[in-house]
Amino acid sequence: MNCEETTKLMDGYLDGELDPITSQAIEQHLRECHNCDQAYKTQRSLICAIGNATPYYKAPSELRERIQSSLRKETTEHPLRNGVRGAQVQFHKRQPEPRSILSEIPWNWLGLAAAIILAAIIVSNVLPRLQRPGNDQFLATQLIAGHVRSLMANHLTDVASSDQHTVKPWLDAKLDFAPAVVDLSNEGFPLIGGRLDYLDNRAVAALIYQRRKHFINLFVWPAAPDETRTPKTITRQGYQLLHWVESDLNYWAVSDINEKELQEFKQLFEEQSVPH
Ligand SMILES: [Zn+2]
């Protein structure tokens, strides 16, 4: 991946639209190339700034009333045919002041047209970026990349143990939060170990479970206060992602096992991790 390719793919990367391998190649390039990394950070913070800080102004009710009454007035006093079309007719008759085509269109029709154009610009340019499930999709890409990376790079675990009493203290010592760790061997999801990972701009815990020949990365980190508490399922590129929040911790399970099995895993994990 060179600078040119990175630049070309940057939008897709920011929007979380790239496959994990490409995303990983970009991440690699960003680590090595200061210029592209700077460009990436600038764009990312711009997107965040737009998403978080776009002011929302509610028009005062007097303004609404004024617009409505002037529109009502306009349609009774100057119906459209006397306005726009009348102006055109006069224009063709070579009136002394041909610029009257603009001056005779009632100002509020122009204002209305301007508002419609402005709205169209906002809808076509700004909204897609705001409404794009941006953060989620971006995070999903990061999660899948983290999962794929752990399987590719022969770095599935930092601490390889099926003993939750080994994995938990190891993670607790390295993180500023204490994720629940349970072994689900008896239920067919043996604990393989734990790992530190870096996601969503912070260090996170990854618990690794096995299901037959497949692996589940369960990423855990503290939930933001405004985190949606509703469990969420995302299917992308053949991977299942399952999100839930428990005891103010974010849980994201990522695997290529089917959704039903991953749901089963989630349920077992929750049953056993909640203190009785
Ligand atoms: Zn570069």
Side-chain angles (χ1 to χ4, degrees):
M1 183 76 55
N2 58 30
C3 295
E4 199 187 331
E5 289 168 321
T6 304
T7 310
K8 218 183 297 171
L9 292 168
M10 185 65 80
D11 270 352
Y13 179 66
L14 283 159
D15 297 338
E17 287 161 353
L18 305 180
D19 64 276
I21 308 290
T22 313
S23 298
Q24 211 177 335
I26 288 182
E27 276 159 29
Q28 178 73 29
H29 182 79
L30 293 180
R31 275 194 292 273
E32 291 162 357
C33 174
H34 178 72
N35 285 349
C36 290
D37 191 47
Q38 280 307 110
Y40 160 70
K41 284 182 177 140
T42 308
Q43 285 198 43
R44 174 107 210 262
S45 51
L46 191 63
I47 292 169
C48 288
I50 293 172
N52 295 336
T54 315
Y56 178 82
Y57 297 112
K58 200 165 163 55
S61 54
E62 310 89 72
L63 178 63
R64 177 203 298 255
E65 188 44 47
R66 228 160 58 215
I67 290 173
Q68 281 175 341
S69 74
S70 73
L71 278 177
R72 271 197 301 272
K73 195 159 149 253
E74 201 52 53
T75 32
T76 30
E77 288 179 8
H78 306 274
L80 188 55
R81 62 194 159 83
N82 295 335
V84 180
R85 274 165 59 196
Q88 274 168 345
V89 169
Q90 285 163 358
F91 179 75
H92 288 300
K93 282 184 189 160
R94 291 183 178 273
Q95 274 248 323
E97 285 178 64
R99 65 180 180 86
S100 62
I101 187 157
L102 273 187
S103 57
E104 287 198 16
I105 297 174
W107 69 268
N108 46 15
W109 285 103
L110 289 175
L112 194 61
I116 290 168
I117 292 166
L118 183 65
I121 291 170
I122 290 172
V123 165
S124 61
N125 289 314
V126 181
L127 283 189
R129 209 173 260 286
L130 292 183
Q131 287 181 336
R132 207 171 278 150
N135 284 344
D136 253 12
Q137 292 302 328
F138 186 75
L139 183 58
T141 305
Q142 286 189 305
L143 287 159
I144 295 173
H147 176 75
V148 173
R149 198 162 42 225
S150 73
L151 301 178
M152 272 171 75
N154 205 13
H155 183 199
L156 190 56
T157 55
D158 287 325
V159 51
S161 172
S162 58
D163 183 0
Q164 65 214 60
H165 305 295
T166 306
V167 176
K168 185 167 169 49
W170 186 89
L171 285 170
D172 288 356
K174 298 200 161 36
L175 295 162
D176 55 358
F177 60 97
V181 182
V182 292
D183 179 31
L184 301 170
S185 293
N186 294 338
E187 289 78 15
F189 295 95
L191 175 69
I192 301 296
R195 191 180 74 246
L196 284 184
D197 214 313
Y198 193 81
L199 275 173
D200 206 29
N201 298 320
R202 60 159 304 139
V204 306
L207 302 174
I208 299 93
Y209 290 86
Q210 193 167 2
R211 178 64 162 180
R212 297 184 307 274
K213 298 245 180 279
H214 304 267
F215 293 99
I216 302 167
N217 264 287
L218 181 59
F219 296 99
V220 191
W221 68 94
D226 56 348
E227 188 75 41
T228 28
R229 306 275 147 158
T230 345
K232 200 174 330 185
T233 317
I234 299 177
T235 306
R236 268 181 68 175
Q237 294 148 352
Y239 296 98
Q240 294 293 335
L241 290 85
L242 213 57
H243 175 233
W244 69 95
V245 176
E246 175 64 53
S247 310
D248 292 324
L249 290 177
N250 252 326
Y251 288 87
W252 278 96
V254 185
S255 182
D256 59 346
I257 62 172
N258 63 50
E259 194 194 331
K260 190 170 154 280
E261 280 186 308
L262 201 59
Q263 290 281 8
E264 189 188 330
F265 166 78
K266 173 196 174 227
Q267 200 183 336
L268 290 164
F269 183 91
E270 284 197 303
E271 280 167 12
Q272 305 217 8
S273 61
V274 175
H276 298 290

